[in-house]
Amino acid sequence: MWRLRRAAVACEVCQSLVKHSSGTKGSLPLQKLHLVSRSIYHSHHPILKLQRPHFRTSFQQFSSLTNLPLRKLKLSPIKYGYQPHRNFWPARLAARLLKLRYLILGSAVGGGYTAKKTFDQWKDMIPDLSDYKWIVPDIVWEIDEYIDLGHKLVSEVIEASDPLLLLGSPGETAFRATDPGSESDKPYRKGLLGELILLQQQIQEHEEEARRAAGQYSTSHAQQKRKVSDKEKIDQLQEELLHTQLKYQRILERLEKENKELRKLVLQKDDKGIHHRKLKKSLIDMYSEVLDVLSDYDASYNTQDHLPRVVVVGDQSAGKTSVLEMIAQARIFPRGSGEMMTRSPVKVTLSEGPHHVALFKDSSREFDLTKEEDLAALRHEIELRMRKNVKEGCTVSPETISLNVKGPGLQRMVLVDLPGVINTVTSGMAPDTKETIFSISKAYMQNPNAIILCIQDGSVDAERSIVTDLVSQMDPHGRRTIFVLTKVDLAEKNVASPSRIQQIIEGKLFPMKALGYFAVVTGKGNNSESIEAIRDYEEEFFQNSKLLKTSMLKAHQVTTRNLSLAVSDCFWKMVRESVEQQADSFKATRFNLETEWKNNYPRLRELDRDELFEKAKNEILDEVISLSQVTPKHWEEILQQSLWERVSTHVIENIYLPAAQTMNSGTFNTTVDIKLKQWTDKQLPNKAVEVAWETLQEEFSRFMTEPKGKEHDDIFDKLKEAVKEETIKRHKWNDFAEDSLRVIQHNALEDRSISDKQQWDAAIYFMEEALQARLKDTENAIENMVGPDWKKRWLYWKNRTQEQCVHNETKNELEKMLKCNEEHPAYLASDEITTVRKNLESRGVEVDPSLIKDTWHQVYRRHFLKTALNHCNLCRRGFYYYQRHFVDSELECNDVVLFWRIQRMLAITANTLRQQLTNTEVRRLEKNVKEVLEDFAEDSEKKVKLLTGKRAQLAEDLKKVREIQEKLDAFIEALHQEK
């Protein structure tokens, strides 16, 4: 009992330690300390010297290895006397505990350091939200500059991470892990804490001394800091804020890069499963398709395209293309030094995709934008398309080039790069270049929902800008204009007053108002710079720029990345606000067009130009096939007739008449053979092929143009005529046909044997027809020469002219000469011409010798043809003499044999040409027709030119409006689903 009463008395030293310990929040009674701890620290206590309990008994009494309730143990009676181990075991126990406390202290300090390091890592992982700082009011950021929340949070975590409160000692942790519910281990654990409390008290004493020294230092330092001006404080705070923003910016870029890689993997996974499931089109691709259809649509009924786009306008060489390339993250446009490179509008649709590629709307080729070869090929293709769009005599074109750019991390939007606005037309440009550029720019900017991205060169004087006046006219209130100042690095270097740049950014130097103002750097002026190098240079410039340090620019107003984010947000906001209104407008247009069609063409199906062309194509091909159904007899008849019409003049004038002037049959046959051989070698095969080709054209035209009765549709007439002309132009007869035809014709003309009387009569009939036709032509020529005869003069009241009277007198004189000598040769002698002229002069008619010769030619020709026809009648009964080779007969019919040879050659030639036509040329013609139709099918301008009329245009408008409405409805549905 005396031991219990003495144990109840608390040691003043322990009480002071417990009371002043910084590691505990309440007082720790001495009675709760472990007996071993009391024996170590209070060995001088008289009670403890008198009696010392057995170690094993003490350990069992305060053990935490059991959950049973503790019970008081009977203490063994104290035996006074010698105890051999009394002076050794406390020392060993103290040494072990001293080693243990250093381990406990080291673990606690290490745990606190680890907790602080973990917090710093968490803090570094927080993304930079400075890009969205414009959402939060400025007053919040002004308060944030003077309240360092991060520092306070760190200090709170450090205080909360006190190892004595959070982690405890390793021994204490071990006891908790062994039996967290035990209450009997508390005195032992608190005894170990006492060791730590003493050490911590000593540390606190040293800290107090350090605080006093630091206080003295801080007092003197504070006196020095008071001398610092308020301006320097603000500069220092702004610099710290800038560094912090840039730090978080880099963290955000790293997170965006990781996000881009993850999205790329996801999109690649979608590409692998493209055959397993049907991929849905992206939202921006659907919207781009709507714009492509609208670009081809003729705005009838006052329906205009008011869907949003980002229209990039600026002065020439202001950096429009460079800004667009930074947004697209690729050098995709042709480049030049000071010359006009953008010659037509380029619509660029940006969308996300697993690979960084570009492709045109009308092509399936993909350009890999990560490869320099593909980039060079893409720039070359864009330049070729621009030059192709520009018509002869012009410098720029309003025709749009549509390009899609896909890649991971691209902002979804549709941009249109327009030609740069110029102030003066230079040499090599069309005179109307300036006005054309203005009209193109106004056409895109007058769209009330178009976002105008106004690009201003910061390296030149603002007063030289032309585009700002143009933009202020189109958007005077600046509700859809975003102003971008390029080449800020050159502007900061060259401008004497930096505040001038601030005035430009704030729009104080221009009458133009804008929705937002941005400053960007698009490189050092080197065309070979990569996008990554330009981005690094831009970030480095703004990090060291005075424009940010002096708060002339805000952090969210710089870099092309912030610009692309802002433009994309503004674009989609405008799309969501206007797309449904445009859809309603096209619904009304569709209703008006359908009503007009029902009123004008109630019984006709709505066929647009493509469908009309397909219908006309089928009709034309059917008509070409009809050529193969023409009978061989019809082909040979028309070929023989056409060929004789072509060669008859040569046969009569150059072969028959010269040969007939000879005196005997041998000379006649020799002359005929020579002239026929020359004719066959040089002219006849070519003439025959020409006749065959013309005959094929005539038959083809007849089938194409003849009316089909009620089924005939005159809307196809222009198209059929154009197809016929183009096919005839392209078709060329087989070159080997003339060679084979020459041999056949030569063999036919060599044959002189008439087999029967029927062929003889046919030859005579053919000769009579030919001579009568020539005689008729000669009579007409003489009548035109001498004028009307006395019957016509009396009946029709016609008179002869003076020249006709001279010709008539000459004719009469020459006819007298022929009556005197009916076997007169074909040519007049000079003395005969003199005699005729003197006879006419004696009657008072002055005549020229050349007039006498011309008149003689026609008079003698008529005389000769009449004589030949009389000879034909005599030869009708000459077949018998022909079989006997005109032996013992004065009748010679060599001219009949000549015409039989010509007739037989014509028949054989017609038969040969007919075989070439039906076997070869008709098929080749059909092939050419198909090629022409395929070429016309790909040429939309041809269709518009050839398929004209109100019906075709109305059906075309109906098709376009329906297509636009369907695409708009699908886009709106997808837009609502994305929300």
Side-chain angles (χ1 to χ4, degrees):
M1 296 302 294
W2 63 273
R3 290 174 61 193
L4 297 175
R5 288 195 302 271
R6 300 290 295 184
V9 181
C11 177
E12 295 178 359
V13 179
C14 292
Q15 290 178 355
S16 64
L17 285 175
V18 173
K19 184 181 299 183
H20 296 88
S21 175
S22 63
T24 58
K25 293 184 180 181
S27 62
L28 183 63
L30 184 60
Q31 293 86 343
K32 297 184 180 181
L33 291 176
H34 197 276
L35 292 177
V36 178
S37 177
R38 294 190 346 198
S39 66
I40 293 172
Y41 288 96
H42 308 286
S43 60
H44 60 278
H45 200 276
I47 301 301
L48 296 176
K49 286 183 179 180
L50 292 177
Q51 282 199 349
R52 186 180 300 272
H54 197 271
F55 180 76
R56 183 174 182 180
T57 304
S58 176
F59 178 78
Q60 291 176 353
Q61 184 178 359
F62 298 97
S63 174
S64 62
L65 297 177
T66 177
N67 290 329
L68 297 174
L70 295 178
R71 60 181 182 273
K72 296 181 180 181
L73 300 177
K74 294 183 179 180
L75 297 176
S76 60
I78 300 175
K79 297 182 179 179
Y80 298 93
Y82 176 74
Q83 298 179 3
H85 300 287
R86 184 174 179 178
N87 296 325
F88 296 100
W89 69 268
R92 289 196 298 271
L93 182 61
R96 293 176 181 174
L97 293 177
L98 286 175
K99 292 180 180 180
L100 181 62
R101 66 184 179 181
Y102 290 117
L103 294 175
I104 295 172
L105 180 62
S107 300
V109 174
Y113 174 74
T114 303
K116 183 177 182 301
K117 186 176 180 180
T118 303
F119 172 76
D120 292 338
Q121 291 179 353
W122 290 351
K123 183 178 178 182
D124 291 339
M125 291 173 64
I126 297 174
D128 183 16
L129 300 179
S130 59
D131 294 334
Y132 307 97
K133 186 175 177 180
W134 55 275
I135 301 175
V136 183
D138 293 337
I139 186 64
V140 177
W141 301 110
E142 293 176 359
I143 296 173
D144 182 59
E145 293 179 358
Y146 298 97
I147 301 177
D148 194 351
L149 297 177
H151 178 71
K152 289 190 174 185
L153 184 60
V154 171
S155 61
E156 291 293 336
V157 171
I158 292 176
E159 292 180 3
S161 62
D162 194 333
L164 296 178
L165 295 179
L166 290 178
L167 299 177
S169 62
E172 184 178 3
T173 306
F175 278 104
R176 285 200 194 108
T178 305
D179 186 9
S182 176
E183 296 291 337
S184 60
D185 61 339
K186 291 181 180 180
Y188 180 74
R189 290 185 282 116
K190 298 305 181 182
L192 294 177
L193 283 174
E195 296 288 339
L196 297 177
I197 290 170
L198 284 176
L199 293 177
Q200 189 172 4
Q201 187 175 9
Q202 295 175 2
I203 293 171
Q204 287 179 353
E205 291 177 358
H206 292 293
E207 288 178 352
E208 290 293 334
E209 294 178 359
R211 289 193 188 98
R212 287 195 295 272
Q216 296 176 0
Y217 172 77
S218 61
T219 302
S220 60
H221 184 65
Q223 292 176 357
Q224 294 177 359
K225 286 183 70 177
R226 292 191 188 97
K227 299 178 182 180
V228 181
S229 64
D230 294 339
K231 183 177 180 181
E232 292 177 353
K233 289 182 181 179
I234 295 173
D235 293 342
Q236 184 178 2
L237 290 173
Q238 289 177 348
E239 187 173 358
E240 291 178 358
L241 178 62
L242 179 61
H243 283 293
T244 304
Q245 290 175 346
L246 293 175
K247 177 181 177 182
Y248 288 133
Q249 189 85 3
R250 287 191 294 270
I251 295 173
L252 183 59
E253 289 178 357
R254 187 181 75 245
L255 293 176
E256 287 181 349
K257 186 177 180 180
E258 294 175 358
N259 184 32
K260 184 190 298 183
E261 295 296 329
L262 292 175
R263 291 187 64 85
K264 183 177 180 180
L265 293 175
V266 172
L267 293 172
Q268 287 177 347
K269 185 178 180 182
D270 288 341
D271 281 350
K272 292 179 181 179
I274 192 171
H275 300 291
H276 301 288
R277 63 184 179 87
K278 184 179 179 181
L279 286 178
K280 295 176 64 177
K281 292 183 179 180
S282 64
L283 203 61
I284 190 64
D285 289 339
M286 296 171 66
Y287 186 75
S288 179
E289 288 182 359
V290 175
L291 297 182
D292 289 337
V293 177
L294 282 170
S295 64
D296 301 331
Y297 172 64
D298 185 12
S300 302
Y301 300 93
N302 299 323
T303 300
Q304 297 178 357
D305 176 15
H306 289 165
L307 288 176
R309 300 170 183 79
V310 180
V311 181
V312 185
V313 295
D315 299 328
Q316 184 178 350
S317 301
K320 308 185 312 301
T321 303
S322 300
V323 171
L324 191 54
E325 287 180 336
M326 290 295 292
I327 296 175
Q329 301 180 14
R331 309 298 293 268
I332 58 178
F333 290 103
R335 316 196 67 79
S337 55
E339 60 177 325
M340 179 180 292
M341 298 305 298
T342 306
R343 297 180 178 271
S344 64
V346 182
K347 181 176 76 69
V348 182
T349 303
L350 302 180
S351 60
E352 276 196 315
H355 307 289
H356 202 186
V357 295
L359 66 160
F360 292 97
K361 178 188 71 171
D362 55 353
S363 174
S364 59
R365 178 186 177 185
E366 285 191 352
F367 297 87
D368 189 352
L369 301 184
T370 60
K371 297 179 180 179
E372 189 59 35
E373 298 82 4
D374 283 17
L375 280 172
L378 176 62
R379 290 192 288 265
H380 181 65
E381 181 66 21
I382 292 176
E383 186 174 2
L384 288 179
R385 288 174 178 256
M386 286 183 180
R387 295 187 182 277
K388 182 179 178 181
N389 289 343
V390 176
K391 297 180 180 178
E392 187 177 356
C394 300
T395 307
V396 294
S397 170
E399 298 183 16
T400 304
I401 300 173
S402 183
L403 180 68
N404 293 337
V405 178
K406 298 182 180 181
L410 293 181
Q411 299 296 324
R412 303 177 303 167
M413 65 182 98
V414 178
L415 304 102
V416 181
D417 186 21
L418 299 180
V421 180
I422 60 174
N423 190 20
T424 305
V425 177
T426 60
S427 61
M429 293 184 179
D432 61 342
T433 302
K434 180 178 178 181
E435 291 75 14
T436 305
I437 294 175
F438 267 85
S439 63
I440 294 173
S441 301
K442 288 181 179 179
Y444 277 90
M445 288 191 293
Q446 69 184 1
N447 179 358
N449 297 320
I451 300 168
I452 304 173
L453 196 63
C454 180
I455 309 298
Q456 170 66 32
D457 188 353
S459 62
V460 299
D461 295 336
E463 291 77 9
R464 294 167 57 186
S465 176
I466 311 172
V467 69
T468 52
D469 295 336
L470 181 61
V471 173
S472 60
Q473 294 176 8
M474 296 293 104
D475 184 25
H477 301 290
R479 295 173 181 172
R480 51 188 179 91
T481 302
I482 297 177
F483 181 82
V484 181
L485 185 67
T486 61
K487 306 177 185 179
V488 185
D489 52 342
L490 299 178
E492 186 180 27
K493 185 186 302 184
N494 299 333
V495 177
S497 176
S499 61
R500 184 175 178 83
I501 300 177
Q502 184 181 10
Q503 293 177 353
I504 296 175
I505 291 295
E506 294 177 354
K508 296 181 179 179
L509 288 182
F510 302 109
M512 182 191 71
K513 298 179 182 179
L515 188 65
Y517 299 86
F518 288 86
V520 298
V521 174
T522 55
K524 300 179 182 179
N526 186 4
N527 292 337
S528 62
E529 285 182 294
S530 64
I531 296 297
E532 292 76 12
I534 296 175
R535 189 184 295 112
D536 295 338
Y537 172 70
E538 183 182 43
E539 181 181 347
E540 181 182 359
F541 167 76
F542 283 117
Q543 184 176 359
N544 302 320
S545 175
K546 295 181 181 179
L547 299 174
L548 281 179
K549 292 181 179 179
T550 57
S551 295
M552 292 185 182
L553 296 177
K554 296 182 182 180
H556 67 272
Q557 289 182 304
V558 297
T559 71
T560 52
R561 193 179 65 84
N562 290 337
L563 171 64
S564 63
L565 290 172
V567 173
S568 178
D569 291 342
C570 187
F571 169 76
W572 284 107
K573 180 182 178 183
M574 191 73 76
V575 168
R576 291 185 177 91
E577 291 177 353
S578 60
V579 67
E580 292 187 358
Q581 181 181 359
Q582 290 297 305
D584 294 339
S585 174
F586 279 102
K587 287 180 182 178
T589 304
R590 175 179 177 177
F591 176 78
N592 294 336
L593 292 174
E594 289 176 347
T595 303
E596 184 175 0
W597 181 273
K598 291 178 182 178
N599 293 333
N600 293 311
Y601 312 103
R603 298 182 180 181
L604 295 178
R605 188 163 57 95
E606 300 168 5
L607 298 178
D608 57 17
R609 283 194 175 92
D610 293 336
E611 294 170 337
L612 287 172
F613 183 83
E614 289 298 322
K615 184 178 179 180
K617 177 181 178 181
N618 295 330
E619 287 189 9
I620 293 172
L621 293 176
D622 292 341
E623 292 164 356
V624 174
I625 293 176
S626 300
L627 284 174
S628 60
Q629 299 176 359
V630 178
T631 61
K633 182 180 179 181
H634 178 75
W635 277 121
E636 292 181 11
E637 287 178 356
I638 58 177
L639 284 170
Q640 187 172 350
Q641 181 181 358
S642 301
L643 183 59
W644 173 245
E645 290 175 357
R646 181 67 60 88
V647 302
S648 60
T649 302
H650 181 83
V651 171
I652 300 296
E653 302 293 337
N654 297 347
I655 298 176
Y656 174 64
L657 289 178
Q661 304 302 319
T662 58
M663 301 304 295
N664 53 50
S665 61
T667 308
F668 178 87
N669 292 331
T670 303
T671 305
V672 167
D673 291 342
I674 293 172
K675 290 187 176 293
L676 287 177
K677 181 68 169 60
Q678 294 175 351
W679 183 44
T680 307
D681 291 339
K682 296 180 180 179
Q683 299 180 10
L684 183 57
N686 186 25
K687 293 289 185 181
V689 170
E690 289 181 359
V691 168
W693 174 220
E694 291 175 359
T695 304
L696 180 61
Q697 294 180 27
E698 291 174 0
E699 291 297 308
F700 177 57
S701 301
R702 182 172 64 84
F703 280 107
M704 292 279 289
T705 57
E706 68 179 0
K708 304 297 188 300
K710 295 182 179 179
E711 297 179 357
H712 178 71
D713 195 345
D714 56 357
I715 198 173
F716 300 142
D717 291 345
K718 286 185 179 180
L719 177 60
K720 290 182 178 181
E721 185 67 24
V723 171
K724 183 194 73 173
E725 293 176 359
E726 185 66 23
T727 303
I728 292 173
K729 187 186 300 183
R730 295 187 184 185
H731 187 79
K732 185 178 181 182
W733 203 274
N734 191 358
D735 295 333
F736 301 102
E738 290 187 11
D739 297 333
S740 61
L741 192 61
R742 182 178 291 108
V743 176
I744 295 172
Q745 290 172 341
H746 181 73
N747 294 333
L749 291 173
E750 287 291 327
D751 190 5
R752 297 185 181 89
S753 60
I754 302 175
S755 59
D756 53 15
K757 183 71 168 57
Q758 184 178 1
Q759 293 182 2
W760 181 268
D761 293 339
I764 292 176
Y765 179 74
F766 175 66
M767 180 178 174
E768 286 181 346
E769 282 189 343
L771 295 178
Q772 286 176 359
R774 291 296 162 181
L775 180 60
K776 184 178 181 180
D777 293 339
T778 305
E779 293 285 356
N780 292 332
I782 293 174
E783 184 180 355
N784 292 331
M785 184 185 295
V786 300
D789 56 5
W790 64 272
K791 291 182 180 180
K792 292 183 178 179
R793 291 200 300 270
W794 280 96
L795 293 175
Y796 301 106
W797 293 83
K798 290 183 178 180
N799 295 321
R800 290 174 178 168
T801 62
Q802 184 65 32
E803 184 179 359
Q804 289 175 344
C805 292
V806 172
H807 277 289
N808 185 51
E809 293 293 335
T810 306
K811 177 182 75 69
N812 294 333
E813 188 68 25
L814 292 174
E815 285 177 348
K816 293 178 182 179
M817 185 184 297
L818 278 175
K819 287 180 180 179
C820 297
N821 185 13
E822 293 183 354
E823 295 182 357
H824 194 284
Y827 300 100
L828 284 175
S830 60
D831 55 345
E832 292 176 335
I833 294 175
T834 304
T835 302
V836 172
R837 183 168 60 84
K838 288 183 178 180
N839 292 336
L840 292 174
E841 287 178 354
S842 64
R843 292 199 299 269
V845 178
E846 296 291 335
V847 64
D848 190 75
S850 60
L851 185 145
I852 297 172
K853 292 180 180 180
D854 293 340
T855 308
W856 168 255
H857 176 74
Q858 298 297 333
V859 171
Y860 181 80
R861 183 185 180 89
R862 181 176 65 178
H863 170 73
F864 174 81
L865 291 173
K866 288 181 177 179
T867 304
L869 284 172
N870 293 330
H871 182 70
C872 254
N873 291 327
L874 295 175
C875 289
R876 289 183 184 277
R877 52 186 176 86
F879 179 71
Y880 171 75
Y881 299 102
Y882 165 77
Q883 288 178 330
R884 297 181 62 184
H885 303 288
F886 300 104
V887 178
D888 299 331
S889 176
E890 296 180 357
L891 183 64
E892 292 182 356
C893 298
N894 293 316
D895 50 357
V896 177
V897 177
L898 170 63
F899 277 92
W900 178 83
R901 293 166 67 182
I902 298 295
Q903 186 182 29
R904 186 169 181 272
M905 181 272 299
L906 292 175
I908 294 175
T909 302
N911 181 269
T912 304
L913 293 174
R914 189 266 306 168
Q915 293 179 12
Q916 292 181 359
L917 281 171
T918 56
N919 296 335
T920 305
E921 300 303 327
V922 171
R923 296 179 182 177
R924 293 179 64 240
L925 182 68
E926 182 180 356
K927 181 181 177 181
N928 290 335
V929 170
K930 290 181 179 179
E931 291 177 355
V932 171
L933 289 172
E934 289 175 358
D935 293 342
F936 283 8
E938 296 175 358
D939 193 347
S940 57
E941 293 183 358
K942 280 277 187 184
K943 294 179 185 178
V944 174
K945 183 179 179 181
L946 299 176
L947 295 173
T948 59
K950 182 179 180 181
R951 192 180 94 190
Q953 188 61 44
L954 188 58
E956 192 73 17
D957 292 342
L958 260 174
K959 176 190 173 183
K960 291 291 184 183
V961 169
R962 285 171 180 163
E963 185 179 2
I964 293 169
Q965 183 185 352
E966 291 173 359
K967 290 184 178 295
L968 275 175
D969 292 342
F971 173 74
I972 293 172
E973 182 180 357
L975 190 64
H976 291 326
Q977 291 177 357
E978 188 182 69
K979 286 184 179 180

